């Protein structure tokens, strides 16, 4: 992972957990070649009964310099879907959603 390519390391994204794409507003430029284009590489999904983990790399579109490693997790615990994201570029976030038609915690604020 490369701190020189991003404006802010692991920005707090609150509950926004993305499993694809890039947070381009946080991308400064490739510190290796100066390019401002990016692509996703080496995407994989490991799915078990307990958890789904999606990983991929954000890489420079010109020189293939690795900018960040992205990890997105999903699992179900009791009555909630739990999501997580960790990425130098896209940030850190956690979210949970009720699987029930009416959330037992009440309406979201």
């Amino acid at each position: 992972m490369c701190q020189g390519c991003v404006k802010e390391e692991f920005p707090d994204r609150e509950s926004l957990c993305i499993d694809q794409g890039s947070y381009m507003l946080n991308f400064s430029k490739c510190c290796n070649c100066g390019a401002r284009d990016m692509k996703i590489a080496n995407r994989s999904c490991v799915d078990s009964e307990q958890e789904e983990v999606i990983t991929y790399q954000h890489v420079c579109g010109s020189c293939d310099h690795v900018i960040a490693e992205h990890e997105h997790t999903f699992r179900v615990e009791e009555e909630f879907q739990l999501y997580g994201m960790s990425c130098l570029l896209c940030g850190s976030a956690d979210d949970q959603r009720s699987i029930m038609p009416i959330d037992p915690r009440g309406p979201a604020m």
Side-chain angles (χ1 to χ4, degrees), residues 23-71:
Y23 183 34
M24 294 302 291
L25 291 175
N26 194 35
F27 180 52
S28 178
K29 64 181 178 181
C30 176
C31 70
N32 195 40
C33 72
R36 296 188 185 271
D37 60 321
M38 187 186 330
K39 63 184 179 181
I40 291 175
N42 304 317
R43 189 173 194 277
S44 70
C45 179
V46 177
D47 196 2
S48 69
E49 283 189 30
Q50 295 82 25
E51 186 174 57
E52 176 185 76
V53 179
I54 297 171
T55 58
Y56 56 89
Q57 295 176 320
H58 300 282
V59 298
C60 175
S62 297
C63 71
D64 288 333
H65 170 72
V66 177
I67 296 159
E69 302 274 342
H70 189 105
E71 181 179 85

Side-chain angles (χ1 to χ4, degrees), residues 62-107:
S62 297
C63 71
D64 288 333
H65 170 72
V66 177
I67 296 159
E69 302 274 342
H70 189 105
E71 181 179 85
H72 176 271
T73 59
F74 168 76
R75 67 182 184 279
V76 176
E77 285 185 10
E78 297 176 9
E79 297 179 352
F80 294 95
Q81 296 175 332
L82 305 174
Y83 299 88
M85 176 181 75
S86 178
C87 177
L88 178 78
L89 173 71
C90 299
S92 298
D94 290 302
D95 192 20
Q96 61 178 336
R97 303 289 174 177
S98 174
I99 61 174
M100 305 304 290
I102 298 175
D103 193 332
R105 300 171 296 184

